[in-house]
Amino acid sequence: MKRDDALFNWIQIQVVADARPDDRSAQDTASFFLELLREDHQMTGLGYRIEGAWYIVFGQVASAEWEGRFPAELVEALLHAIESEPKYNQ
């Protein structure tokens, strides 16, 4: 998987996992993508912050600082879809 795709998948599911700490599937999926980024792309220290309409993802790649950004609307789309589905909110 390309690094940008893995990063987007990770930030999207990490936002879900953070909003739904009891959602075991979200926690496991976020862990899967984090491990993929570590093993396949040598990324460590990953985190994120929100700046306006952007999610800023940061960490290290091969010991060098790295930062990227993703539109908040796209990042939060999965969370909104899950929260609007009644069977996931019982």
Side-chain angles (χ1 to χ4, degrees):
M1 178 179 292
K2 292 181 182 179
R3 184 176 76 181
D4 287 346
D5 293 338
L7 280 165
F8 179 74
N9 288 334
W10 172 76
I11 186 61
Q12 197 175 46
I13 195 63
Q14 188 61 56
V15 166
V16 171
D18 290 345
R20 300 169 58 91
D22 295 331
D23 185 334
R24 191 77 218 142
S25 294
Q27 302 300 320
D28 291 347
T29 305
S31 293
F32 167 79
F33 280 107
L34 187 60
E35 189 64 24
L36 185 144
L37 287 162
R38 285 182 187 146
E39 290 183 3
D40 293 359
H41 301 287
Q42 294 71 52
M43 298 193 81
T44 58
L46 284 173
Y48 71 90
R49 66 183 181 274
I50 302 169
E51 289 184 8
W54 296 93
Y55 276 76
I56 309 301
V57 177
F58 55 86
Q60 295 84 36
V61 178
S63 299
E65 295 297 318
W66 178 90
E67 193 171 280
R69 58 178 38 207
F70 297 95
E73 182 178 348
L74 295 178
V75 170
E76 295 169 357
L78 179 60
L79 177 60
H80 295 313
I82 290 169
E83 289 180 338
S84 68
E85 180 60 49
K87 71 179 179 181
Y88 296 122
N89 296 296
Q90 297 178 3

